[in-house]
Amino acid sequence: MREDFLGRTMKRRVAVPAHERSSGNVFHDLGFDRPDDELAKANLIMQIADLVRRRSVRQSDVAALLGLPQSNVSLLLRGHSNGFSMGRLMLFLTRLGHDVDIVVGPRSRNGRQARLRVRHAGTVRRAS
């Protein structure tokens, strides 16, 4: 430790760790094999969790509605996506009383790759 001219201990400057700009998809940034799919699944899971929380129901009731063991509902509500396909997550949303629309269209002409995204109530949560 160093001292300043008044004899006070000066803190050592800490080097700022290197960082890189996010791509906008954390799963891509972390090197997942199918980052768009993972982000879309995460967005579907967030929608399911939001619906369940707004209903203020027990996990056992949700389990019966979705046809899952309560332990799997617990995993799902904590964001775990293993064992849940996008199709299955969309089925859960319909069982919770929400429509799921799939829209297929050409990609934009700006040269980017085609993408997969989840939209909810006017907001867009992109998967790429």
Side-chain angles (χ1 to χ4, degrees):
M1 294 262 180
R2 296 181 1 191
E3 293 182 352
D4 68 6
F5 67 95
L6 296 174
R8 296 177 296 197
T9 303
M10 295 174 45
K11 293 183 180 178
R12 182 190 292 200
R13 290 185 185 216
V14 178
V16 176
H19 65 281
E20 53 187 76
R21 186 174 300 276
S22 171
S23 68
N25 180 340
V26 67
F27 299 103
H28 178 269
D29 298 341
L30 293 173
F32 279 68
D33 289 334
R34 301 183 60 117
D36 290 348
D37 293 355
E38 294 298 332
L39 184 58
K41 285 172 64 173
N43 285 327
L44 291 170
I45 290 170
M46 286 189 327
Q47 299 301 328
I48 292 166
D50 287 346
L51 290 171
V52 169
R53 284 187 193 101
R54 278 190 267 147
R55 286 184 178 199
S56 300
V57 294
R58 296 182 317 219
Q59 287 186 5
S60 59
D61 296 332
V62 175
L65 181 63
L66 301 182
L68 293 173
Q70 183 277 326
S71 59
N72 285 9
V73 171
S74 178
L75 290 171
L76 183 65
L77 297 180
R78 288 185 285 136
H80 293 260
S81 64
N82 289 343
F84 299 107
S85 67
M86 277 191 272
R88 195 168 180 204
L89 294 169
M90 289 186 268
L91 175 65
F92 295 161
L93 285 165
T94 62
R95 288 183 178 171
L96 289 166
H98 283 261
D99 290 335
V100 175
D101 298 321
I102 299 173
V103 179
V104 178
R107 68 185 172 116
S108 66
R109 298 176 190 224
N110 66 3
R112 68 159 171 74
Q113 288 187 319
R115 66 181 173 207
L116 173 66
R117 62 184 170 178
V118 174
R119 295 179 186 219
H120 179 261
T123 27
V124 176
R125 294 186 177 170
R126 283 211 240 173
S128 68

